[in-house]
Amino acid sequence: MFKNLRAEIQAIKDKDPAARSTLEIFLCYPGFYALLMHRVSHWLWNHSLKLLARMNSNLARFLTGIEIHPGATFGKRVFIDHGMGVVVGETAIVGDDVLIYQGVILGGTSTEKTKRHPTIEDGVIIGAGAKVMGNITIGKYSKIGTGAVVLKDVPPESTCVGVPGRIVKCKNNAHVVDLEHNKLPDPVAEAIRSLEKQIKENEEIIKILLDKHDLCLNEDVL
């Protein structure tokens, strides 16, 4: 147990440059508390103590602002940074070494009692305010951009941004924690720039054709 606890604390130190000491993490990190309390809730849930599990998860939500259903499954070294407004549904599965920012929702899109929440594989980074909805899979080491709404599977080692989420980059083999979400591609902006370039080129072609037309008219008059 203590070995796993040390690994969780080290993961926070690796992923958060603001973490200065183990004591600070113990006293001041709501994401750390939320996951500790969730592991208790999950144990109670799996041992048919579902009311106690829900009561404990509600207490965790009150204390941390992070709502995790006791049925959700979390791997090792998961870090919820800040965490206010994070919601994780009952059948969600979160793998190892996942980084989740504030306001993220791992939600369901069905009322049936089946697997209806996302599966987040190892090493995924989910940006602030992102919504990952339904029984979909986010592949290993993928990145979900800030504010993205993801409704379909994301391949491993990909980047997904926008509303609805679009795959804009695949096969990024550098498995490192990259916090510079401002540098993620913007497919909408790129499409607009491409259209602006095409319009400008068309205007230049039209101008050339008009100039040639005027020249021909002048020659005919002469």
Side-chain angles (χ1 to χ4, degrees):
M1 182 181 69
F2 289 106
K3 182 179 179 181
N4 291 336
L5 196 59
R6 284 196 297 268
E8 301 282 348
I9 292 171
Q10 187 59 49
I12 294 174
K13 290 180 178 178
D14 293 340
K15 295 172 182 175
D16 185 6
R20 291 170 293 185
S21 68
T22 299
L23 181 61
E24 183 181 35
I25 293 171
F26 262 107
L27 296 178
C28 305
Y29 276 65
F32 178 71
Y33 283 123
L35 286 174
L36 284 182
M37 297 182 73
H38 170 70
R39 297 193 191 283
V40 175
S41 299
H42 190 63
W43 186 90
L44 293 170
W45 184 267
N46 288 337
H47 288 79
S48 299
L49 300 171
K50 290 183 167 47
L51 179 58
L52 285 177
R54 292 303 303 266
M55 291 173 64
N56 189 65
S57 67
N58 276 355
L59 177 61
R61 181 181 64 176
F62 175 77
L63 293 174
T64 66
I66 299 169
E67 181 175 349
I68 305 175
H69 192 284
T73 302
F74 277 76
K76 301 175 182 177
R77 300 176 300 279
V78 176
F79 177 35
I80 301 176
D81 195 2
H82 296 288
M84 182 62 70
V86 168
V87 178
V88 180
E90 177 185 3
T91 61
I93 300 173
V94 180
D96 299 338
D97 302 302
V98 172
L99 175 57
I100 300 173
Y101 285 92
Q102 65 272 18
V104 167
I105 295 177
L106 305 182
T109 56
S110 171
T111 57
E112 298 180 2
K113 294 183 180 297
T114 59
K115 176 73 168 69
R116 60 190 185 279
H117 296 93
T119 296
I120 312 298
E121 295 187 343
D122 298 348
V124 171
I125 299 175
I126 307 179
K131 311 297 186 285
V132 185
M133 308 298 294
N135 182 20
I136 61 176
T137 299
I138 309 301
K140 290 184 177 182
Y141 302 106
S142 291
K143 298 176 185 177
I144 307 301
T146 298
V149 177
V150 185
L151 305 173
K152 297 180 180 180
D153 291 346
V154 175
E157 301 176 0
S158 301
T159 299
C160 182
V161 300
V163 181
R166 298 177 179 84
I167 309 300
V168 294
K169 185 178 180 182
C170 292
K171 296 299 179 185
N172 179 12
N173 293 316
H175 299 159
V176 296
V177 178
D178 184 359
L179 305 182
E180 298 187 84
H181 299 282
N182 59 309
K183 295 185 179 180
L184 292 179
D186 186 343
V188 175
E190 290 175 2
I192 292 173
R193 284 194 292 268
S194 177
L195 287 173
E196 288 177 343
K197 182 180 178 182
Q198 186 173 352
I199 290 170
K200 185 177 180 180
E201 290 174 351
N202 289 342
E203 287 177 345
E204 291 175 354
I205 292 172
I206 291 171
K207 183 180 179 183
I208 292 171
L209 291 175
L210 288 175
D211 290 342
K212 287 184 177 180
H213 182 262
D214 291 341
L215 181 61
C216 290
L217 287 176
N218 292 334
E219 289 178 352
D220 290 340
V221 169
L222 294 174

